[in-house]
Amino acid sequence: MAALTLRLLDKAYGPVQVLSRVSLEVADGEFLSLLGPSGCGKSTLLRLVAGLDHPDAGAIEIDGRDVGGLAPKARDVAMVFQNYALYPHLSVAGNLALPLAMRRLTFAQRLPLLGRWLPGTRKIATGIERDVAETAGALGIGPLLARKPAQLSGGQKQRVALGRAMVRRPRLFLMDEPLSNLDAHLRTQLRGEICALHQRLGATFIYVTHDQHEAMTMSSRVAVMLGGRLLQVATPQEIYDDPASLQVAEFVGSPRINVLPAEVDAAGRVSSFGVALQVRTARHARRIQVACRPESFEVASAGDSSIRATVERLEHLGSEVLAHVRAPDGTPAVVRIRSEAAPRLRAGDPVGLRPRTDRVLAFDESGARLTLVAEAALRAVHG
Amino acid sequence: MAEAAITIAPARRCAARLDGEALAGWGLAAPATALIFLLVLGPALGVLALSFTSWQFGAATLEWIGLANYAELARDPVFWKSLRNTLVYIGVVVPASVAGGLAVAMLVESDPSLRRFYRAAYFLPVASTLIAMAVVWQFLLHPSVGLVNRAWELLGGSPTDWLKNPRTALGTLCAIGIWQMLGLSMVLFLAGLKAVPGELYDAAAIDGADGAWERFRRVTWPLLGPTTLFVTVICAIRSFQVFDTVHVLTRGGPNKQTEVLMHTIYAEGFNFFRAGYAAAITVLFLAVLLALTWLQMRAAERRVHYG
């Protein structure tokens, strides 16, 4: 079991700054996802934690101990790779046994042929075999132990890779997009298995992914990374409802959050397309942006104090309908409507949209979050 | 009846089209097939036939003598010496070139500085004409003014005529053979090393196999297995065919100490004009080459061994 602390990590490859001032605290037993688009530096961060690469500046601590100068094997971490990285010449059993053999046997005992006859080797080898069988049984790959990786399917390979990681019971699991090479069905299945594994082992998991569904469904906390920086570290719900910046709001959520232009008057009242949103902000008299999730609109008939939009296209998803609409200035937006509540909309119809006062978010022109206060709340305070 | 007619008609049309296609196919393959027969299979069969005759090079008549040439071969001490020398040459040059090529490839791959220079330098002997290079070696090995003897003296050795001394002649030719083969072996190993996924070294480091020896033993060597087999066979074939250095530097001497199969064939056929006898050696020579080539093809298949 291990807690991980990263302090102000910097890493550059040549002129490219891959990580800048990354700080992160991961609690013992936590499942933390590093979420970001490809090239955002999340895999590099994982390699720094594993010890496969070294930071230009900053410190990495596991359980309060600086592991900066330690080799990967001394950090007691395990890693699962995107392309499985199984040893192609070894059987499944050989792949699972290697990390144990490297730890439990001495150099002389590992020698081919000769090592077998040294005192103690036999006993340790039996122990290794037992642990390999136990891990294989837990992952349901027991019948595959004699096969070579080339004879396995993608899902089986990934199970073997998981097995190789867990067989020596490390304190910290690092997973680098382990499911991205699998088809959708297997991905869902293995997602559940990895979550169950986390609960059973109680170890700390750090899971790198570019798939927001994986990050949101599996982890206790999500760290959103963009351009080598950590933008927000919070629970999946917080990331979704309360994003720290427009970048995070736009990266998380599908369909993407809708961004509309808005004005703030001298009293701080926010309006968009001339429609008062009944919220106030401290920044007066300037242009800002408001953002609203697809499900956070109230749909009304066009006219009464709502943004007039035109329906361009409807996507029927069964339980809900996604309406692709255009605001008066041409800004596109997506509105999620429950099927039974959907009025009989058709492409070309005008529609009135009201962002829900308690769900609307505001950002300044640089994308930083602005605090909004509902006017109803203000009225209550001021009598 | 009507049904039968319906099923037969398309089949007949199909057969007609196949005939046309087959004809076109044979037509397109004909030039290459003719060349193979003319240049490879024909001469090989000719040599086989010749090996059963007593033909003298340039003679107007020949006599069918059956297996007499082969029987004479079995009794000929020169042939046995030549075979032994060839095997010694292979036994020294192949392991040294394979091990040396692998070592050089790993050194070249480990550090990007001057990589191009080393790659070119080691490959130069492969690309250059060996006859010209053999002349250069002759100068280097010159008993009195050669660089090799000068260096040998500095190291405390007594100078010798490397190519005329019966004890050192074959060893010297082996050294030149290694010098020439190392580059080829290195280039093939470089390609093999490029194909080893870097992720495997990462996985090995995390599993605890992170020293140079363990990295080599757990990842590099097993993943180069198919490449190594291929390189070994290629080097064996080329060593088996060694001729130019022997012909230019020693002509098989002193006292047949450096006589190798290819040179024996040349000497029997073109110095002593015993074409039938030379053909018999050639047949044995071809049989060994064929076996090695078959092994090489198996090696090429083995490249996909790990999937």
Side-chain angles (χ1 to χ4, degrees), chain B residues 46-62:
Chain B
V47 166
L48 185 64
L50 216 57
S51 73
F52 298 121
T53 70
S54 64
W55 191 53
Q56 299 273 320
F57 191 70
T61 59
L62 54 83

Side-chain angles (χ1 to χ4, degrees), chain A residues 173-227:
Chain A
F173 275 85
L174 307 172
M175 307 205 176
D176 191 1
E177 310 223 11
L179 306 184
S180 61
N181 282 354
L182 305 176
D183 64 43
H185 174 71
L186 258 177
R187 216 178 302 164
T188 317
Q189 193 188 337
L190 273 168
R191 213 149 74 184
E193 283 180 28
I194 290 177
C195 285
L197 195 68
H198 172 243
Q199 279 175 352
R200 199 171 70 232
L201 298 175
T204 312
F205 275 46
I206 298 181
Y207 188 99
V208 161
T209 181
H210 66 269
D211 182 335
Q212 47 169 302
H213 289 287
E214 272 178 24
M216 304 297 262
T217 53
M218 298 171 81
S219 31
S220 42
R221 281 197 306 156
V222 177
V224 182
M225 269 189 99
L226 277 173

Side-chain angles (χ1 to χ4, degrees), chain A residues 4 6 9 11 13 43-55 60 62 67-79 81 172 174, chain B residues 201-206 210 215:
Chain A
L4 173 72
L6 308 180
L9 289 182
K11 178 71 188 172
Y13 289 114
S43 292
T44 304
L45 188 58
L46 210 62
R47 292 177 60 84
L48 295 187
V49 174
L52 295 171
D53 236 325
H54 296 284
I60 301 169
I62 296 177
V67 296
L70 294 183
K73 65 176 175 189
R75 298 187 182 197
D76 200 10
V77 300
M79 191 155 166
F81 296 86
L172 183 58
L174 307 172
Chain B
Y201 290 110
D202 291 346
I206 285 179
D210 56 355
R215 278 162 62 89

Side-chain angles (χ1 to χ4, degrees), chain B:
Chain B
M1 278 305 279
E3 272 171 21
I6 286 166
T7 50
I8 283 168
R12 210 176 264 162
R13 241 200 333 273
C14 196
R17 196 173 62 231
L18 260 184
D19 273 352
E21 250 176 47
L23 217 62
W26 279 114
L28 289 169
T33 315
L35 284 178
I36 286 176
F37 272 101
L38 211 68
L39 299 178
V40 180
L41 294 178
L45 288 174
V47 166
L48 185 64
L50 216 57
S51 73
F52 298 121
T53 70
S54 64
W55 191 53
Q56 299 273 320
F57 191 70
T61 59
L62 54 83
E63 194 184 337
W64 188 266
I65 56 171
L67 291 173
N69 279 331
Y70 293 93
E72 191 189 340
L73 259 184
R75 290 189 307 269
D76 184 356
V78 175
F79 168 74
W80 287 111
K81 186 149 208 174
S82 166
L83 185 64
R84 183 191 147 271
N85 285 342
T86 307
L87 292 179
V88 167
Y89 185 85
I90 293 176
V92 171
V93 171
V94 172
S97 318
V98 172
L102 177 59
V104 170
M106 283 179 16
L107 284 175
V108 166
E109 195 60 24
S110 67
D111 188 0
S113 64
L114 291 177
R115 185 178 287 172
R116 281 157 177 272
F117 168 75
Y118 284 119
R119 226 165 26 197
Y122 278 102
F123 194 67
L124 205 64
V126 185
S128 53
T129 318
L130 200 57
I131 297 279
M133 287 296 144
V135 173
V136 176
W137 275 109
Q138 217 161 15
F139 290 136
L140 287 175
L141 293 166
H142 192 276
S144 51
V145 297
L147 208 60
V148 173
N149 264 337
R150 291 288 172 84
W152 187 238
E153 273 175 314
L154 281 181
L155 289 172
S158 52
T160 175
D161 190 346
W162 298 90
L163 293 169
K164 299 252 165 58
N165 183 339
R167 285 210 317 236
T168 59
L170 188 59
T172 307
L173 285 179
C174 285
I176 296 173
I178 294 168
W179 167 82
Q180 198 236 343
M181 201 81 80
L182 197 68
L184 180 71
S185 155
M186 174 205 69
V187 165
L188 293 172
F189 274 121
L190 276 178
L193 282 173
K194 284 257 188 300
V196 179
E199 249 184 7
L200 277 184
Y201 290 110
D202 291 346
I206 285 179
D207 287 340
D210 56 355
W213 163 248
E214 290 292 346
R215 278 162 62 89
F216 178 74
R217 186 183 150 206
R218 306 281 172 184
V219 182
T220 313
W221 178 245
L223 271 101
L224 284 180
T227 309
T228 309
L229 191 55
F230 181 75
V231 173
T232 307
V233 173
I234 288 280
C235 287
I237 289 176
R238 293 191 55 150
S239 304
F240 193 62
Q241 295 170 323
V242 59
F243 173 75
D244 22 20
T245 42
V246 177
H247 186 63
V248 173
L249 296 176
T250 65
R251 294 187 174 269
N255 192 22
K256 305 290 179 199
Q257 277 304 324
T258 61
E259 188 72 38
V260 291
L261 272 185
M262 197 71 162
H263 194 260
T264 312
I265 293 172
Y266 175 83
E268 290 293 344
F270 299 104
N271 289 346
F272 310 132
F273 302 118
R274 301 172 62 200
Y277 190 64
I281 308 177
T282 309
V283 167
L284 293 181
F285 186 80
L286 281 177
V288 174
L289 271 192
L290 212 64
L292 283 173
T293 308
W294 177 78
L295 210 75
Q296 180 208 339
M297 281 167 72
R298 286 292 300 275
E301 280 168 24
R302 283 275 297 262
R303 269 204 272 195
V304 290
H305 179 59
Y306 300 138

